Amino acid sequence: MSQKQSPYRGYLYLAAAPFLVGTGVEAASFLSHFPVFLGQGLRYGVGALILLPFSYKKLSTLRGLGFRNWFMILALSATGLYGFSVSLVEATKSSSAAAVGVVIGCAPLLIVLISEAILIRLPAVQTLLGALIVVGATALVEGSGTGSAKGFLWSLVALVCDALYSVLSAPLVAKTGAVSLAFTTNLIAATALVITQLVSLKPFNFGDTPTPYLSILYMGVFVSAAAFLLWYGGLSKIPVQVAGLFVGLIPIGALVAQAVVGGRQVTVPQVVGSVGVMMGIALGVAPGEVVKLLLERLGLRKY
């Protein structure tokens, strides 16, 4: 079924994926004393193992890929997986999670700008307004926090890596399929992260409690495997500049997980911000005729 006939399944995939990624934020909080590169490498390794049985018969799609496409796959793994994981950890060492989250929350806007710049055209006003609303609302959900110059720079790196994850995935998933691309990128990132841990020669302690391993298992299953499949599946149905709006659901997933697992209280600004994120997404995906009619009812006929 084509994208124009039924985009709703794509929207469902795109909504579920970042929500699951957001729940992984709470899971990652249990890895504070676990070796960083090893923990992330094992997480992607679990994802690759889960995806292997589903991707085994579909890996033939990778054989015909030329140098350019393989370079893009490596770039995707290096930025969207390896780079994002490392920069996020480094950012939170000197800045609060909220301060880092506000910077990374600009990803929907950056995705729109980059994807349209590649096509050498201006963003659609409707999509741009939706992205701006999502970014502003995300800041409300994240709240305020303390930061440093070093943390801000690492947050910017994480922001760029997050945006490139979607921008690079969009053309690749059409050639490889969601399952093959998810398996391949997980495998590359897992290998690179584990090697980084080994060559760093830093002593590490595996710990004596099962908590870190349960966290790694959760992230491997629901983030590295399920969320990746859903996101790539959504990108195969929805244009990346529109899909990027759904990244704003990451802090909402984190908020829900923190409330359920961590028992933290949800504030009024966070609720308002969550509603704002969904309104921004709704504006971005609504048919153009509906948006124009709404703006006319508001007296903005010049739109």
Side-chain angles (χ1 to χ4, degrees), residues 19 22-23 26-27 30 218 252-266:
F19 185 87
T23 64
E26 180 66 17
F30 295 102
Y218 178 88
I252 296 180
L255 185 65
V256 171
Q258 289 170 2
V260 175
V261 179
R264 300 172 193 171
Q265 186 175 4
V266 179

Side-chain angles (χ1 to χ4, degrees), residues 58-99:
K58 300 180 180 181
L59 292 178
S60 58
T61 59
L62 301 175
R63 296 175 185 173
L65 296 179
F67 173 79
R68 181 175 180 273
N69 289 320
W70 272 109
F71 177 79
M72 289 181 64
I73 290 176
L74 291 174
L76 170 60
S77 304
T79 57
L81 285 74
Y82 185 105
F84 179 76
S85 298
V86 174
S87 57
L88 185 61
V89 171
E90 291 296 330
T92 53
K93 286 182 179 179
S94 55
S95 295
S96 66

Side-chain angles (χ1 to χ4, degrees), residues 64-255:
L65 296 179
F67 173 79
R68 181 175 180 273
N69 289 320
W70 272 109
F71 177 79
M72 289 181 64
I73 290 176
L74 291 174
L76 170 60
S77 304
T79 57
L81 285 74
Y82 185 105
F84 179 76
S85 298
V86 174
S87 57
L88 185 61
V89 171
E90 291 296 330
T92 53
K93 286 182 179 179
S94 55
S95 295
S96 66
V100 174
V102 170
V103 177
I104 299 177
C106 296
L109 180 59
L110 188 58
I111 291 171
V112 171
L113 296 177
I114 293 177
S115 58
E116 296 292 12
I118 292 174
L119 297 173
I120 316 176
R121 67 185 187 188
L122 294 174
V125 174
Q126 177 182 343
T127 306
L128 187 59
L129 285 175
L132 288 171
I133 292 173
V134 169
V135 169
T138 299
L140 278 178
V141 178
E142 294 288 355
S144 59
T146 58
S148 66
K150 182 180 179 181
F152 177 72
L153 290 175
W154 276 113
S155 298
L156 288 179
V157 175
L159 168 63
V160 174
C161 289
D162 192 20
L164 289 176
Y165 172 75
S166 295
V167 174
L168 293 173
S169 297
L172 286 171
V173 73
K175 300 175 182 178
T176 66
V179 178
S180 296
L181 185 60
F183 168 75
T184 305
T185 52
N186 268 282
L187 181 61
I188 293 173
T191 304
L193 283 161
V194 171
I195 291 176
T196 302
Q197 182 70 62
L198 293 176
V199 300
S200 67
L201 300 178
K202 293 182 179 180
F204 52 82
N205 182 9
F206 287 103
D208 53 1
T209 65
T211 302
Y213 301 99
L214 292 175
S215 176
I216 289 171
L217 181 62
Y218 178 88
M219 294 178 70
V221 173
F222 293 101
V223 181
S224 298
F228 277 33
L229 275 180
L230 289 167
W231 188 253
Y232 292 151
L235 284 177
S236 67
K237 302 175 183 297
I238 307 297
V240 64
Q241 58 269 35
V242 176
L245 299 175
F246 288 84
V247 175
L249 292 173
I250 291 178
I252 296 180
L255 185 65

